[in-house]
Amino acid sequence: MKKLFVIFCLLCSISVYSSNINGGLFFRSHQQPGTIRTRLVLNGGKPIKIENGRTISFDLMLRKEIVWGYVVRIITNTQKNIDLVYLANKKNDRYPAWILNESQHPITQDLTYDKWIPISVKLMPKDNKITFSFGSIQSTQSFDFSGCKNVTIHFGTSGIKNFQVGDVAPINIKNVRVLDNKDNEIYHWELKQHADSICYDLIKQCPAITENPIWLIDNHSSWNQLYKQKIKGNPQITYNSDKNFFYIINGSNQLTVLNPITQKSYSINNIKGKLASEKNNQITYDPYNHRLISYSLDQKSISVFSPENNSWSGTFTNSIDPAYIHHTVAISPKDTSLITFGGYGYYLYKNTLFKVNLNTHRWDSLQIKEISPRFSAVSTIINNTLYIFGGKGSKNGRQEEVSHNLYDLYVCCRFSDIRNKKIWEIKSNIDMNPKSWTKNFRGSCHIGDETDLLLRGNMIYSPTDSCFYAINVSKSQGYLVRISLNRPEIKRCSTNIGDMSAGYLFCNLYYSPDSSKLYTIFNREIRNSDPEVSIYSIDFPPIALKDTIQKTPSKNKLWVGVIIFLIFLSGYGLYKFSRRKKDKKPVSIEIKEKETAPQEEIKKTFDRSKSSISLLGGFNVKDKEGGDITNQFTPILKSLLLIILLYSVKTKQGISSNKLDSILWEDKDEKSARNNRNVSIRKLRVLLEKVGDIQVVFENNFWKITFGNEVFCDYVAAIQFIQDTSFDDFTKEATLYQLLELLVFGPLLPNTQADWIDNFKSDYSDITLDLLHSLLQKKEFENKEDIQLLIADTIFLHDIFNEEALRVKCSILYKKDKRSIAKSTYDNFCKQYKSLLGTDYKISFSTIVTSKTTS
């Protein structure tokens, strides 16, 4: 039965994945705050047997950041360590090394960035040897395996008692395997599909559990914003796929060139000549002759940019209101002709096709009677064949008539003698009865979950799966859809880009073969403000969010691994939140974990071990018995809980149904949103019953959450404690320690990303930092340096670049003759400051340590 399950999973994955899908886990490195660095624990934290020999292998990619820290730590049951670490020598040269207990074995190889390197560790207990492979470099070392029966394996940070690790190298990891002594796979964690913070192996469905993960496969379903800028005037944008540049043109005499990878740009000013048009984004790049083209459909003119002469060839700029807004454009590779279709202007929809030869400047135009008038169609050219899909229009092209969104795919076989053929059509977004759909094939046809599409720009063709990709901007949302070439099928295949509401919205879609990414650009006209240009990217090929999720195998024994991992987490938490009083065993290589938590032990008042919902430092839910049920919250249930809970704290009355629906089900109509909400609320209530007396209440048309006495929420407790306590009471040490115990949990939901949550995060950060800064100034603590250190370290948890906390901490440590720790704290601050802000920290160490500890 187990084999059948594995085969089924593998067969299901074939349709989702190809060799082009990026897999792997992105590790947040030592440059990030300690509370959000990444950890990966194999086999749910349970030991892996090694008595007959085992090989642990994986693929590693080093990123171009400050190279330092741990890759993997293998700990035997006899408390011996086998580590792969990136180190630095006296000249600050960085290199990888294997560490066996106290002995170091450097790998003499130049650092290789952004490429996958195969790594393996072959454990041979019977021979008391270990064979290491790092790329093409292999070595064998002696190792005493006496009494060794099993190992536990941690990538990134480690919470194993006596082997804690905080420094994480800037790495990506994928394809983690464990092999027996005959090189047969025992475990294989691809690190592709995942169930939130867990990835199951393909052999036995054993979990690898993560903390603070960033899954690379998610980049195939989620958009990444690369650029956002308000630009005066009327900007026009296009893309150069040859050099991976964007051109932002603002009037005839200025052109900005932007690299989306480096996000660096430069401007060309004082350009001579004129654009053909400064409206309606009538600009494109000719990839066959490598030139920038401005055109005007109204005046039937073109202007070509010459970088050698820094000039446009045109002498006249069309300034009248365009008659072809939201037309679609493509360039034919056969004769370098620019082809446009459709558009809207002067209360009319168009079905006009323009063809202009960019070499001879000859213009031809005709109406395509087989295709009804429309704007916002999308198009592309494949092998000199034009494909046109969708749009919005009316039968006779008049705006006063009832207009419809259109779902039909046409092919124009030859431009010189236009012959058109409808490949397929879905009759209406209202009529979803398959009998009303026309098709030229046998088989099922559907439009997925999309019932109201309005596309913009052009299409990108994927020959691998015979489909087109285009951007939908209906209902004020931008996301990617997949349009089948051979059957009437449209599917959503990305998350939302964001709020796309605007009076005029131009957008387009481009493909970069070099970086295997899709780019989309948006030019939005915002009321009472300058236009805003945004650029986003997504890895190619795009996949639906649901296809990144790994189904959870129904095995109760998996929870044993989770419980073991929680034991490790609790041990690590105690380690981080208490003062390290014991001296470490001396070793030849010492890599110290950064001090990010308060140095003095705080007596615990608040209990998150059971019946708790934790939002500070990360999202976590414990049931009445202390079991971790976080992974039972699907993304939608997690979002639903967080939204209602946060609004309940903010406004007391909670959140209205309309606002809740607009956040979570913005792509649904009112009825569908209400149905989805009701179903999700029921599921949420069932889950919360496991936590304890916590209720989701609908009162006065608002949703809110109420807590019983035995259920603890750290965020609610922190807000109430701050609001209910007078400022003077915080000068009492007992009260102060209670406050710090809450704040030391960390910032609000650092690993949860959503537009609606940003204000809650910033508000909580402002409240905590303002309070902590004020406490630093209190005369009652002026001579209590231990308390000042506690406050400074707590500030660092919420603001890693806080200069006041740096000054307080370094000056106190220096005064206490802990000068090396003070210097290390300062150096780490400067390193992160330089890395993330791109400039050196200006205040010297001597100035910091000689300043007063209070202002």
Side-chain angles (χ1 to χ4, degrees), residues 557-724:
K557 66 180 184 179
L558 288 176
W559 290 105
V560 177
V562 175
I563 293 171
I564 293 173
F565 181 67
L566 290 174
I567 294 173
F568 280 111
L569 283 184
S570 62
Y572 186 53
L574 290 173
Y575 162 76
K576 290 185 68 177
F577 298 140
S578 64
R579 186 174 184 178
R580 293 180 291 172
K581 296 181 178 179
K582 295 183 179 180
D583 293 331
K584 291 185 177 180
K585 182 179 178 181
V587 293
S588 58
I589 298 296
E590 182 179 348
I591 301 179
K592 293 183 178 180
E593 183 170 358
K594 297 176 184 63
E595 299 176 57
T596 57
Q599 304 299 304
E600 185 173 313
E601 186 174 350
I602 301 174
K603 185 179 179 180
K604 286 196 170 184
T605 302
F606 305 101
D607 182 14
R608 300 198 298 180
S609 64
K610 62 181 180 179
S611 292
S612 66
I613 297 177
S614 300
L615 308 187
L616 304 182
F619 178 69
N620 185 266
V621 183
K622 300 285 182 63
D623 64 18
K624 299 173 186 176
E625 287 73 39
D628 192 328
I629 61 172
T630 308
N631 291 319
Q632 296 183 36
F633 285 80
T634 63
I636 194 68
L637 292 182
K638 174 185 173 182
S639 297
L640 181 62
L641 169 62
L642 293 178
I643 292 169
I644 300 177
L645 197 161
L646 292 174
Y647 274 95
S648 297
V649 175
K650 180 180 180 180
T651 68
K652 304 302 181 184
Q653 65 181 353
I655 184 172
S656 67
S657 295
N658 289 339
K659 190 164 187 177
L660 184 61
D661 293 348
S662 69
I663 296 174
L664 289 181
W665 296 284
E666 55 202 347
D667 58 333
K668 306 292 185 185
D669 58 34
E670 183 179 350
K671 182 179 179 181
S672 297
R674 183 172 62 254
N675 291 338
N676 277 272
R677 173 177 15 100
N678 291 339
V679 171
S680 298
I681 290 288
R682 285 196 296 270
K683 291 181 179 179
L684 179 61
R685 283 170 169 159
V686 171
L687 268 180
L688 294 180
E689 286 179 1
K690 300 179 181 180
V691 180
D693 185 13
I694 175 173
Q695 304 294 327
V696 181
V697 179
F698 187 62
E699 186 177 277
N700 298 325
N701 294 319
F702 282 83
W703 295 95
K704 66 179 180 179
I705 284 181
T706 60
F707 291 90
N709 292 330
E710 76 277 11
V711 178
F712 176 72
C713 176
D714 50 12
Y715 173 70
V716 174
I719 294 296
Q720 289 180 347
F721 192 78
I722 292 171
Q723 292 176 345
D724 296 345

Side-chain angles (χ1 to χ4, degrees), residues 312-325:
W312 293 99
S313 63
T315 58
F316 172 78
T317 298
N318 175 36
S319 59
I320 65 173
D321 290 335
Y324 299 91
I325 296 172

Side-chain angles (χ1 to χ4, degrees), residues 498-561:
D499 182 13
M500 295 293 114
S501 57
Y504 168 81
L505 172 64
F506 167 78
C507 78
N508 218 332
L509 187 68
Y510 304 102
Y511 174 64
S512 170
D514 292 338
S515 59
S516 294
K517 292 181 183 293
L518 289 175
Y519 295 110
T520 185
I521 58 176
F522 289 89
N523 180 9
R524 299 190 295 166
E525 198 172 76
I526 302 173
R527 183 178 297 178
N528 300 323
S529 183
D530 295 324
E532 183 180 83
V533 173
S534 303
I535 301 176
Y536 301 83
S537 71
I538 193 170
D539 285 354
F540 190 86
I543 57 178
L545 181 63
K546 63 182 180 63
D547 292 328
T548 68
I549 299 172
Q550 190 176 32
K551 292 184 178 180
T552 304
S554 56
K555 290 188 174 184
N556 293 330
K557 66 180 184 179
L558 288 176
W559 290 105
V560 177

Side-chain angles (χ1 to χ4, degrees), residues 32 42 66 107 131 158 227 265 306 309 319 333 360 416 499 515 536 594 639 649 655 686-687 697 730 775 794:
Q32 301 295 319
L42 300 187
I66 298 175
I107 300 168
T131 296
S158 170
Y227 178 85
S265 63
S306 170
N309 300 324
S319 59
T360 65
S416 57
D499 182 13
S515 59
Y536 301 83
K594 297 176 184 63
S639 297
V649 175
I655 184 172
V686 171
L687 268 180
V697 179
F730 285 124
L775 290 172
T794 307

